[in-house]
Amino acid sequence: MVSAHWGVSLPGAVTEEGWPTQQAINQEIKFARRILVAMFQTELTDGGLVFPWGTVWSRFDPKGFCASHGVSYRQT
C-alpha cells in the first residue's frame, strides 16, 4: 500500500500558542472535504471513502489533535 498525506493552511486560521484551535481544525477539514467531494463527486459522510483501488479521507485525528487528510492505494 502506498499513501500520501497532506495538510492545509487556511488564511486567518485561529491558533493558541502556535497550535490550531478545534475551530481551525474543523474549518480545515471542511475545506479539504469540499475539494474531495468535488473531485470524487460523492460525500465523505464518515470522513473517508473506500474504492476498489484504495481509500481517501479527511477527518479529525483525536490522538494527534489535528486534521488528517490523505489517499492510499493498493499497488498491483
Side-chain angles (χ1 to χ4, degrees):
M1 180 125 347
V2 175
S3 64
H5 304 257
W6 63 87
V8 176
S9 296
L10 297 176
V14 179
T15 61
E16 290 179 0
E17 297 181 18
W19 295 95
T21 62
Q22 182 71 60
Q23 178 186 11
I25 292 167
N26 292 345
Q27 290 298 324
E28 177 182 340
I29 293 168
K30 184 177 176 180
F31 173 80
R33 285 185 181 181
R34 192 168 48 240
I35 300 302
L36 293 170
V37 165
M39 289 174 59
F40 291 101
Q41 297 295 303
T42 188
E43 292 294 324
L44 281 82
T45 53
D46 67 349
L49 292 170
V50 177
F51 297 98
W53 51 263
T55 306
V56 63
W57 69 89
S58 177
R59 62 174 62 102
F60 179 69
D61 174 4
K63 190 173 183 179
F65 196 79
C66 62
S68 174
H69 320 287
V71 61
S72 63
Y73 64 94
R74 295 169 190 78
Q75 292 179 305
T76 55

